[in-house]
Amino acid sequence: MGWDSGPQLVAERTERARLVRDVFTRIAPVYDRGNALLSLGFENRWRAAAVAKSELRPGDTALDLCCGTGSFLPHLRRAVGNSGTLLGLDVCLPMLGRVGTRHSGAGLVLADACRVPVGSATVDAVTIGWGLRNVPDLRLCLEEAGRVLRPGGRLVSLDMAHSRGAPFAACTLMARLVGGILGQRSAYCYLAQSTAAFASPEELAAEFSKVGLRGVGHRRMFFGLIAIVWGAK
Ligand SMILES: C[S@@+](CC[C@H](N)C(=O)[O-])C[C@H]1O[C@@H](n2cnc3c(N)ncnc32)[C@H](O)[C@@H]1O
């Protein structure tokens, strides 16, 4: 590693974080519509499957990182019940601004998922949907998730799973098409590219293990295009 790779790395990550914020600022008004089209209406089943992996119980505390427009929050509220505590965190104010009726009594936090303003060992489960491929530093984000979890607490990621087959090519094409329909072609191109560049579920599971999570596993769904990855502190 060269002497200047530290500052250069920081500059690259800062630039990437700015680009990601710009993309989500632009697509915030159409994000929910885009998701419904891209997921062919299956998104809520996938979210429910991910929340089931969190093993949350009534009265628990859940943190949803990269919560966006809050689509995980109603699922998490059902899991923790009215006595539980919910927090949603996102770095993009226009996305948080569209949480609306999905709010489910959650506290909303405008922050970076790599610097979570939550105390250590205070959370029973951390969920992150279609978020890890966007954060500027994957390892740091996983370490933060691990830090805020109570012993035994679980981290669950739900995201696209890169594969070489025809379904993935179709999915990339679909993202471009939906971007065109919604008037946000370049932003949706970013979503397709970030999926292609993201870790496979197997690689992501290995990253979970590297930050000290136990019982790490993953499951592919929907022709292998979607994956849940989980682990416990
Ligand atoms: C694809 S959306 C997913 C939203 C939501 N989780 C869902 O299931 O629909 C990704 C979200 O990650 C947020 N995000 C990107 N980088 C982030 C970061 N470093 N910290 C927190 N949120 C971030 C974006 O603002 C966006 O709302």
Side-chain angles (χ1 to χ4, degrees):
M1 202 181 260
W3 66 271
D4 62 345
S5 59
Q8 192 182 328
L9 196 63
V10 170
E12 277 170 21
R13 286 180 180 160
T14 308
E15 174 56 19
R16 190 173 137 69
R18 193 189 56 74
L19 179 118
V20 168
R21 257 201 321 274
D22 279 2
V23 164
F24 286 103
T25 297
R26 274 190 283 141
I27 65 175
V30 296
Y31 179 78
D32 291 331
R33 220 156 14 111
N35 263 4
L37 290 171
L38 279 172
S39 73
L40 306 172
F42 282 92
E43 57 176 312
N44 281 322
R45 284 194 210 179
W46 301 335
R47 288 180 216 280
V51 170
K53 278 290 173 197
S54 71
E55 297 185 0
L56 282 163
R57 288 174 304 205
D60 279 352
T61 296
L63 168 65
D64 187 32
L65 294 178
C66 300
C67 71
T69 59
S71 299
F72 264 88
L73 298 176
H75 298 275
L76 291 169
R77 175 55 72 195
R78 272 195 288 283
V80 302
N82 288 336
S83 57
T85 305
L86 279 189
L87 277 177
L89 177 149
D90 201 281
V91 80
C92 178
L93 191 57
M95 290 292 278
L96 282 178
R98 302 193 81 87
V99 168
T101 54
R102 291 185 217 92
H103 190 279
S104 308
L108 297 180
V109 185
L110 181 67
D112 189 329
C114 297
R115 292 182 67 159
V116 179
V118 170
S120 301
T122 55
V123 168
D124 298 292
V126 174
T127 52
I128 179 160
W130 294 280
L132 283 175
R133 74 188 132 108
N134 292 303
V135 299
D137 186 333
L138 174 65
R139 181 69 61 83
L140 195 54
C141 180
L142 295 179
E143 282 171 357
E144 275 295 80
R147 178 185 65 76
V148 302
L149 282 174
R150 293 195 172 112
R154 290 166 74 89
L155 169 63
V156 183
S157 162
L158 171 66
D159 211 314
M160 305 300 292
H162 187 200
S163 71
R164 293 188 200 287
F168 185 73
C171 187
T172 304
L173 188 69
M174 180 89 166
R176 287 167 199 268
L177 224 114
V178 167
I181 292 170
L182 299 173
Q184 289 295 345
R185 192 181 295 275
S186 67
Y188 275 81
C189 278
Y190 161 78
L191 295 188
Q193 283 160 2
S194 66
T195 300
F198 187 46
S200 69
E202 293 77 10
E203 288 165 342
L204 191 55
E207 287 298 318
F208 275 36
S209 297
K210 281 184 198 156
V211 298
L213 298 175
R214 307 173 282 107
V216 172
H218 72 275
R219 175 186 153 202
R220 284 185 186 253
M221 303 178 289
F222 202 66
F223 310 106
L225 288 170
I226 301 286
I228 303 176
V229 181
W230 63 85
K233 183 169 178 182

